Amino acid sequence: MTNNDNLFKHQEELWSDWRWQIAHRITTTEELHNWINVTEREEQSIQKSVGKYRWSITPYYASLMDKNDEMCPIRRQAVPSLEEFEYFPNAEVDPVGDQLYRKTNRVVHKYPDRVMMLVTQSCSVYCRHCTRKYHTTDLSGSYFGDSETLSFEEDFDYIASQPAIRDVLLSGGDPLMYSDQKLEFIISRLRQIPHVEIIRIGTRFPVLLPQRITPELCAMLEKYHPIWLNTHFNHPKEITEEAAKACDQLFRHGIPVQNQTVLLKDLNDDLPTMRALLTGLLKIRVRPYYLYHCDNVTGVSHFATTIEKGRELMKGLLGHMTGFAVPQYIITTKLGKIPLWEESLHLNNDGYSIENYEGKTAELIF
Ligand SMILES: *Cc1c(COP(=O)(O)O)cnc(C)c1O
Ligand code: SF4
């Protein structure tokens, strides 16, 4: 091998090392210039973010950005924008009510049989549209305050004391920011609780840094089955060879991967993009689970579309595509997740009338 070959091989090794990627995240305008032609507006936004909002981008995710198009869907999800500082009526810091249902430092218990554990506030990329922006991205406040590093014992004790809990969802931030050892500590402790049937991991790593899904991680997780994983693809551009490989690794270790998309204005709220995303997910065997209506979250409101638009979009999906390509369209509220898609069954005087995906109607007679 020549020196050049060696250098190339070395660079390739670094690129596929998730720890190298985390250590080399882009956090300054100067670094961002190495990847894209940063516009004046973007530069202003980055300046304005100092002391207010975190931002960081993995080199992998930055490599998917369009160099010249400020409206590039990858760019808009990762690079700060001036709209984050605009005032929107009725926007809230915590519209989903994590704080209302918080039982211990990390456990949010909102539904009868399942809980969410917010295990960290860190992420590899700080998505500009994050529902928990106050927790992950806002420098002046978080769900944790100073309590992120407190012992997990109180959290485990709460779950152990509630026999109704059969499903524990690890979320954050992004749980896969932790080392395999730390994750194994959490998961193995949950596994010791007899009534915990399934453990779910909510992570955006398959999208933001698929190199994190290593054979070692998968082998560790496999020991604690049944483990499920929910990820968060928003745009067909994110479905890369690397992302496909990460999901494939998970499948080969028996971990089902499902997807939760957020409906984002001018990013994925048109039919061709949404169809390409959903069919693209099926091609990598990831099952679409939820389509979240974007909440009116402080610093995120500019990404929200109307519910009418979302329902219109659903009409273009249901019946037109493979049944399991179509996610459930929901909004998360303080009362829980609420389904938003059009009803196809209507009660009338004689019984029911039904409506199919083409708008054809008929009476349902029994
Ligand atoms: C979304 C969510 C869950 C999981 O809900 P599913 O509909 O079962 O996916 C659990 N706890 C909290 C607090 C949630 O927000
Ligand atoms: S990875 Fe998830 S938790 Fe982290 S900023 Fe993105 S959407 Fe929020």
Side-chain angles (χ1 to χ4, degrees):
M1 265 202 289
T2 67
N3 270 348
N4 261 349
D5 287 342
N6 266 329
L7 187 66
F8 182 69
K9 192 154 179 286
H10 181 60
Q11 280 171 347
E12 249 187 355
E13 273 168 21
L14 291 180
W15 185 259
S16 55
D17 176 353
W18 73 274
R19 292 187 178 279
W20 180 89
Q21 290 264 347
I22 292 282
H24 290 81
R25 279 183 293 176
I26 297 141
T27 57
T28 64
T29 309
E30 292 67 40
E31 290 166 330
L32 193 56
H33 268 294
N34 295 331
W35 296 91
I36 56 172
N37 294 316
V38 183
T39 65
E40 217 166 280
R41 273 172 55 85
E42 285 172 326
E43 208 162 322
Q44 281 172 13
S45 315
I46 289 169
Q47 270 169 18
K48 218 170 163 174
S49 298
V50 175
K52 174 61 182 161
Y53 288 134
R54 285 184 188 87
W55 72 282
S56 79
I57 308 171
T58 57
Y60 163 80
Y61 201 59
S63 75
L64 306 182
M65 290 181 181
D66 187 299
K67 258 186 162 8
N68 299 310
D69 180 10
E70 201 187 16
M71 288 299 282
C72 159
I74 308 292
R75 227 159 128 157
R76 284 190 57 221
Q77 289 183 69
V79 179
S81 83
L82 289 173
E83 283 100 333
E84 293 173 44
F85 300 91
E86 272 174 32
Y87 167 80
F88 285 84
N90 304 317
E92 285 179 78
V93 164
D94 178 21
V96 306
D98 289 336
Q99 297 286 0
L100 295 175
Y101 295 92
R102 188 178 189 177
K103 300 297 175 187
T104 63
N105 191 27
R106 298 181 181 80
V107 176
V108 179
H109 194 175
K110 194 173 185 178
Y111 301 96
D113 70 338
R114 54 210 190 278
V115 293
M116 185 169 68
M117 245 180 122
L118 298 179
V119 295
T120 177
Q121 64 184 47
S122 303
C123 296
S124 61
V125 173
Y126 289 96
C127 312
R128 308 325 297 168
H129 60 274
C130 183
T131 302
R132 296 205 172 78
K133 197 171 183 116
Y134 79 100
H135 169 57
T136 52
T137 311
D138 197 329
L139 286 159
S140 63
S142 102
Y143 166 94
F144 285 128
D146 298 327
S147 66
E148 174 157 15
T149 54
L150 289 186
S151 153
F152 278 67
E153 295 308 317
E154 183 205 17
D155 309 308
F156 297 142
D157 285 349
Y158 176 80
I159 295 170
S161 74
Q162 304 279 318
I165 299 170
R166 35 160 297 282
D167 172 2
V168 178
L169 163 56
L170 302 183
S171 185
D174 200 312
L176 295 196
M177 285 298 280
Y178 282 143
S179 66
D180 293 358
Q181 289 73 18
K182 174 86 182 236
L183 273 172
E184 182 161 18
F185 160 73
I186 299 168
I187 294 171
S188 63
R189 288 294 301 275
L190 291 171
R191 259 291 154 256
Q192 286 169 18
I193 303 172
H195 53 263
V196 172
E197 293 171 4
I198 64 169
I199 298 171
R200 293 197 246 178
I201 300 174
T203 175
R204 221 187 164 197
F205 267 91
V207 181
L208 304 173
L209 182 45
Q211 292 82 353
R212 172 73 185 92
I213 312 300
T214 60
E216 294 77 27
L217 172 70
C218 294
M220 183 278 281
L221 293 175
E222 191 177 24
K223 292 193 281 175
Y224 301 99
H225 269 320
I227 303 271
W228 292 67
L229 190 143
N230 283 352
T231 191
H232 174 175
F233 286 91
N234 284 334
H235 193 276
K237 264 188 98 169
E238 294 169 337
I239 305 175
T240 63
E241 226 169 88
E242 291 92 335
K245 193 176 153 213
C247 296
D248 183 59
Q249 290 254 12
L250 291 160
F251 295 134
R252 282 170 197 271
H253 288 80
I255 302 162
V257 183
Q258 308 192 92
N259 189 64
Q260 312 189 157
T261 294
V262 185
L263 184 61
L264 300 169
K265 190 175 178 175
D266 300 329
L267 198 146
N268 61 12
D269 65 344
D270 64 285
L271 207 46
T273 303
M274 190 52 73
R275 283 187 177 161
L277 171 64
L278 299 170
T279 52
L281 288 170
L282 292 196
K283 284 197 268 184
I284 64 167
R285 285 174 281 141
V286 171
R287 166 131 197 213
Y289 177 38
Y290 281 143
L291 174 63
Y292 285 111
H293 189 77
C294 183
D295 280 304
N296 194 3
V297 178
T298 309
V300 176
S301 310
H302 58 287
F303 278 113
T305 51
T306 60
I307 289 177
E308 288 69 38
K309 182 116 193 216
R311 283 158 71 106
E312 201 49 47
L313 204 58
M314 286 299 288
K315 274 194 189 161
L317 303 176
L318 275 167
H320 296 274
M321 302 174 71
T322 304
F324 58 87
V326 184
Q328 300 177 49
Y329 177 41
I330 55 160
I331 186 166
T332 308
T333 70
K334 292 188 176 75
L335 297 179
K337 296 180 174 78
I338 310 291
L340 294 175
W341 70 93
E342 193 76 54
E343 283 278 355
S344 48
L345 187 69
H346 308 280
L347 193 61
N348 61 26
N349 291 337
D350 307 320
Y352 294 105
S353 72
I354 51 170
E355 187 180 333
N356 86 343
Y357 67 98
E358 299 158 308
K360 291 182 184 155
T361 58
E363 299 307 307
L364 192 63
I365 301 170
F366 286 103

